[in-house]
Amino acid sequence: MNQAVTVSVDQGVALIRIDNPPVNALSPEVISGLETSLDRASRDSSVRAIVIIGAGRTFIAGADIKGLEQLAWGSDSGAPEIHDLLQTLEDTTKPVVMAMHGTALGGGLEVAMAGHYRVAVPDALMGQPEVNLGIIPGAEGTQRLPRLVGLEKAIEMCVSGKPIKAADALSAGLIDRIIEGDLATGASAFAREMAAQAGALPKTRERKDKLPPASAIPGMLEAGRDLARKTRRNLEAPVAVVDALEAAATRPFAEGCAREREIFFQLAQSEQAKALIHAFFAERGVSKVPGVSKDTVAAPVNRVAIVGAGTMGGGIAMACANAGISVRLTDTSQDAVDKGIATIRKNYDVSVKRGRFTPAMVEERMKRIAPQVGYDAFGDVDLVIEAVFENMALKKQIAGSVASLGKPEQVFATNTSTLDIDEIAVASGRPPQVLGLHFFSPANVMRLVEIVRGKATSPETLATAMAVAKKLGKVGVVVGNGPGFVGNRMMFPYMYEAQFLVEDGATPQQVDAALTGFGMAMGMFAVDDMAGLDVAWRVRQELNQFSQPGARKPLVADRLCEMGRFGQKTGKGWYLYGDDRKPQPDPEVLALIEQTATANNIRRRSFTNDEIIERTIYALINEGARVLDEGHALRAADIDVIYTNGYGFPAWRGGPMFYADRVGLKKIYDRVSAFHQELGQRWAPAPLLAKLAKEGTTFKELDKRRAGSLVGASS
Ligand code: 3HC
């Protein structure tokens, strides 16, 4: 026993409590504490049954990912073997009941499956999410899970990594009872019941009744591998986990475990595991922001007003309604509001058709959204989000108009994607309560929100915005105020480089294929068509992006806009779109590209996919280094979170800055310098990239070094 695990005995039941905040991860102390506690309970003659339970918010949320990170990078974490504990648990001669609440994930569920019985509260979640970290379950989960729930269900759970709820777990056979009311009391009563029963204790490893007949196995495995390839594109672990599950269905338990370990250790040091573990901690790291500490008071946000019932306003309203927040949705005319509400209704209907919501859930959400014209009752809301089109004068006017209506701490957020937050803050007359909340379209779906900190934004306002993002189920990343903030600012050089490549001889489909081959969710031209070519067209004009003498200006995009080819919404842009909305190459565009190149004396040549990746992704990285150097992003890892959550950058590559580290900053710097020579000023290497390359270090190391300067920041 140690501080992380304690035992108390009451009426013949030993209650072993794991207390390792925040999530009871299986640290070495927890593992050794469980072993000692089990030993003590086994030897105590007054104990007839044992209950293992988690203190605080959860059962065991898994192996300690910090230990896995060490393993991924090749240093021995020194963690004790968990396999002895699993055997001890299963061989204990008194009934062992696992009492689960919160989340029993990964190693947590694996420990639970080695107990004789499992009970859970109704809202408990259980799963094997290891594939999301680039690994497979490594504590015999692939061998015990199919023995409890069957091979098909185990494949579904391990490939998707998604946890299941208690009711589903009960019907699948993963748990034995759902406990309403106090878990410790209910689990202890259940344990006494089991102790009173005659017969041998059920050992999961000895069970065969749920395993399919040999003839059914190949079909199930094939379907599982298909599912992995289709739904978890480019990921190694979801395919590999099926191999381990195959061993469970076809070999004795011990051999299956050996196969699992072999695959686990192969993947544990893979590039994907390194990247996905980086992505996990990067996402948790964004809540550490200078000036915002545990003591900074975030105002509760239960009521929100949204100004502008267009695409963004409507999407934000849905995101709020989904999170239980009541919304006042306003626009300048009844007609505009009605249209906004009709679109929201239509979007929810699609969700019902896809089985995401029931009609009752939609009605509940629609009731939370109150349409109105004007600013009536704005005084009651905790947060106003302005989501009108990108026009500074209008945004300033709205900020000024609503400023006097609310309570002093009411936060005013602008959803601008490019404009200066400070100018809007000044216009409001109460700059400390103003910031940017840059949602990404569709706002009810996309996880990313850039939280733009203005010069005068108060820590409380920032904390409120961070809490709102969390409440909406989004990842809120605090960024600095500057044109395009972080994500869009980096996007521009990337987008224009893709366009230059096309003018220089590639085709849109070749560039897009290279990018999706690299792992991007969509190619740059398909993205531009989806967002609307007119959006970047307007930004080009407003920000006067090519004003520097000698700057190369993209030519074809403007021509397409002049032709009214704005992308998907006009049925044509870089591609042609039919009813299925699938992009088709358009000979007219290819001809236009060639004509434009000829008219401008551009010598065209062919490009390899590697060249395309270097020209586009390195442009992204170089700009990322500038953004970081200028302090618009707090950490390189924050940029990674922005790109993996908002721009379709593959999480299995960790994000652009982590990817750069893995390629090697010296190599990136050399290529960028070569492009600078060849292609001109736009490729000038970012000073920070040059510096880190020279030092032979990485962005990750830089983040670590700088972590000290974020002292005072905590989640
Ligand atoms: N190991 C180490 N730290 C962990 C952890 C873990 N398994 N799970 C969460 N944490 C830490 C987070 O880093 C964070 O730390 P911080 O406060 O210092 O930033 C803190 O716990 C709270 O985490 P969240 O902010 O994510 O809290 P939420 O309440 O939003 O979510 C959760 C809780 C659902 C448990 C979520 O943290 C989660 O999904 N964790 C990962 C679960 C997982 O992947 N488990 C499998 C691990 S791999 C494994 O078990 C291998 C085995 O098969 C051998």
Side-chain angles (χ1 to χ4, degrees):
M1 237 183 0
N2 52 33
Q3 280 190 332
V5 183
T6 52
V7 194
S8 58
V9 180
D10 181 34
Q11 298 173 59
V13 173
L15 194 71
I16 300 182
R17 196 180 287 272
I18 304 161
D19 191 1
N20 182 31
V23 295
N24 294 329
L26 285 168
S27 65
E29 291 71 35
V30 170
I31 295 175
S32 64
L34 280 172
E35 273 167 346
T36 322
S37 307
L38 275 171
D39 184 52
R40 186 181 141 187
S42 294
R43 284 191 285 108
D44 184 338
S45 60
S46 73
V47 170
R48 284 180 293 128
I50 298 162
V51 169
I52 299 185
I53 194 166
R57 67 206 232 200
T58 187
F59 187 68
I60 304 167
D64 189 336
I65 303 174
K66 290 200 182 82
L68 290 174
E69 188 174 41
Q70 289 176 350
L71 180 62
W73 292 93
S75 58
D76 183 5
S77 68
E81 281 285 355
I82 196 173
H83 303 276
D84 293 346
L85 169 66
L86 299 173
Q87 176 145 9
T88 308
L89 274 169
E90 211 160 34
D91 289 343
T92 300
T93 53
K94 299 173 183 180
V96 178
V97 177
M98 300 289 176
M100 296 179 276
H101 74 295
T103 46
L105 300 175
L109 183 58
E110 291 172 297
V111 166
M113 290 190 293
H116 304 120
Y117 303 100
R118 284 152 296 281
V119 299
V121 297
D123 61 357
L125 291 169
M126 284 143 264
Q128 300 286 172
E130 286 87 344
V131 289
N132 298 329
L133 297 169
I135 55 173
I136 67 161
E140 304 167 12
T142 59
Q143 306 306 300
R144 284 199 179 81
L145 189 61
R147 285 176 162 81
L148 287 171
V149 303
L151 182 60
E152 256 181 325
K153 182 82 179 170
I155 289 177
E156 185 192 308
M157 286 176 69
C158 291
V159 167
S160 73
K162 284 190 193 136
I164 58 172
K165 294 188 182 134
D168 192 3
L170 183 66
S171 65
L174 184 55
I175 60 174
D176 302 287
R177 190 175 290 178
I178 291 181
I179 304 283
E180 308 275 353
D182 182 62
L183 179 61
T185 312
S188 299
F190 178 85
R192 273 179 218 110
E193 240 180 81
M194 293 305 111
Q197 276 184 6
L201 291 169
K203 295 183 183 179
T204 310
R205 67 169 189 254
E206 288 174 358
R207 282 182 60 176
K208 289 208 173 82
D209 53 304
K210 282 286 188 93
L211 293 177
S215 60
I217 295 172
M220 288 180 185
L221 295 172
E222 199 186 313
R225 292 187 177 108
D226 255 18
L227 180 76
R229 279 189 284 263
K230 279 199 193 110
T231 58
R232 317 288 329 251
R233 199 165 66 95
N234 293 316
L235 292 179
E236 291 157 4
V239 181
V241 77
V242 182
D243 296 348
L245 290 161
E246 175 175 11
T250 56
R251 299 188 200 183
F253 183 78
E255 274 183 37
C257 288
R259 178 79 183 118
E260 178 195 89
R261 292 183 72 164
E262 189 187 343
I263 301 172
F264 174 84
F265 281 108
Q266 263 165 22
L267 288 178
Q269 298 197 336
S270 65
E271 277 300 307
Q272 293 201 351
K274 289 184 182 77
L276 289 163
I277 291 172
H278 164 79
F280 176 84
F281 285 119
E283 197 172 312
R284 267 94 203 149
V286 296
S287 58
K288 294 168 181 74
V289 172
V292 179
S293 73
K294 281 203 170 86
D295 303 327
T296 312
V297 182
V301 172
N302 298 311
R303 283 163 303 188
V304 167
I306 297 169
V307 185
T311 310
M312 280 317 291
I316 299 168
M318 289 173 79
C320 291
N322 292 346
I325 297 173
S326 42
V327 178
R328 296 191 163 274
L329 183 63
T330 184
D331 212 311
T332 45
S333 70
Q334 192 60 45
D335 188 41
V337 180
D338 289 347
K339 270 198 194 129
I341 291 287
T343 307
I344 291 174
R345 163 73 68 186
K346 209 174 78 198
N347 290 339
Y348 273 136
D349 285 348
V350 173
S351 300
V352 171
K353 274 200 200 105
R354 290 188 181 154
R356 205 177 143 225
F357 294 140
T358 62
M361 286 162 85
V362 167
E363 286 323 307
E364 199 188 346
R365 283 162 172 73
M366 287 303 293
K367 265 197 224 137
R368 291 193 188 121
I369 306 176
Q372 66 180 56
V373 176
Y375 302 138
D376 263 6
F378 264 42
D380 299 339
V381 303
D382 310 303
L383 164 70
V384 177
I385 303 175
E386 164 281 297
V388 301
F389 58 92
E390 291 291 80
N391 178 298
M392 181 54 102
L394 180 60
K395 287 180 188 275
K396 280 161 76 170
Q397 184 232 312
I398 294 168
S401 305
V402 305
S404 58
L405 304 176
K407 48 194 168 186
E409 69 275 19
Q410 184 184 79
V411 172
F412 180 87
T414 167
N415 178 52
T416 179
S417 53
T418 43
L419 301 177
D420 181 3
I421 304 294
D422 291 331
E423 207 177 322
I424 298 170
V426 169
S428 79
R430 42 201 290 277
Q433 281 73 46
V434 177
L435 44 59
L437 275 182
H438 180 208
F439 287 87
F440 290 71
S441 190
N444 53 316
V445 177
M446 296 294 289
R447 279 192 85 214
L448 178 66
V449 183
E450 283 183 325
I451 300 173
V452 192
R453 181 179 206 162
K455 223 168 25 202
T457 305
S458 73
E460 290 73 23
T461 301
L462 208 53
T464 304
M466 289 162 68
V468 168
K470 198 151 193 188
K471 191 163 179 176
L472 298 183
K474 306 215 177 276
V475 200
V477 185
V478 175
V479 297
N481 180 27
F485 312 126
V486 171
N488 282 350
R489 167 157 169 203
M490 289 170 60
M491 185 77 166
F492 285 119
Y494 167 71
M495 174 166 89
Y496 292 135
E497 213 49 48
Q499 295 183 11
F500 295 144
L501 275 166
V502 156
E503 293 173 4
D504 292 347
T507 62
Q509 48 276 24
Q510 190 201 350
V511 172
D512 279 2
L515 289 170
T516 51
F518 172 81
M520 298 299 292
M522 287 172 84
M524 187 59 247
F525 293 98
V527 168
D528 205 14
D529 274 356
M530 196 180 69
L533 270 64
D534 50 324
V535 176
W537 194 26
R538 222 172 317 140
V539 174
R540 271 200 293 285
Q541 288 154 1
E542 265 174 38
L543 298 185
N544 204 6
Q545 280 176 326
F546 301 93
S547 55
Q548 276 190 355
R552 180 171 177 183
K553 194 173 178 309
L555 302 166
V556 177
D558 281 3
R559 294 286 308 279
L560 291 173
C561 289
E562 285 153 16
M563 291 158 76
R565 297 183 67 121
F566 293 144
Q568 280 194 21
K569 60 185 161 195
T570 55
K572 36 177 137 169
W574 293 99
Y575 296 106
L576 265 185
Y577 294 89
D579 288 342
D580 63 358
R581 296 200 153 199
K582 289 222 170 86
Q584 300 296 338
D586 186 348
E588 202 184 334
V589 174
L590 300 178
L592 173 71
I593 292 168
E594 287 204 14
Q595 283 159 19
T596 311
T598 312
N600 290 277
N601 298 322
I602 298 171
R603 276 191 51 215
R604 286 163 63 76
R605 67 169 177 96
S606 61
F607 289 92
T608 64
N609 284 352
D610 285 350
E611 283 177 294
I612 291 173
I613 294 306
E614 287 182 348
R615 284 264 302 257
T616 49
I617 303 291
Y618 290 9
L620 193 64
I621 293 164
N622 198 34
E623 193 66 13
R626 285 185 207 285
V627 165
L628 189 59
D629 210 10
E630 290 167 22
H632 291 302
L634 285 168
R635 288 160 283 250
D638 286 12
I639 297 178
D640 289 336
V641 174
I642 289 174
Y643 262 79
T644 49
N645 286 285
Y647 293 85
F649 197 98
W652 55 269
R653 289 198 190 270
M657 310 315 274
F658 182 82
Y659 171 73
D661 282 352
R662 297 308 293 157
V663 171
L665 297 190
K666 166 89 170 64
K667 181 178 170 206
I668 305 259
Y669 171 74
D670 287 347
R671 288 303 286 144
V672 169
S673 302
F675 288 144
H676 186 205
Q677 292 292 314
E678 184 196 342
L679 303 166
Q681 190 53 27
R682 71 178 188 275
W683 274 99
L688 180 63
L689 176 64
K691 181 169 172 281
L692 298 181
K694 198 163 159 222
E695 289 171 6
T697 183
T698 58
F699 288 116
K700 202 171 174 69
E701 276 304 316
L702 178 73
D703 277 358
K704 274 195 207 147
R705 277 201 322 248
R706 285 184 177 174
S709 64
L710 299 182
V711 171
S714 66
S715 48

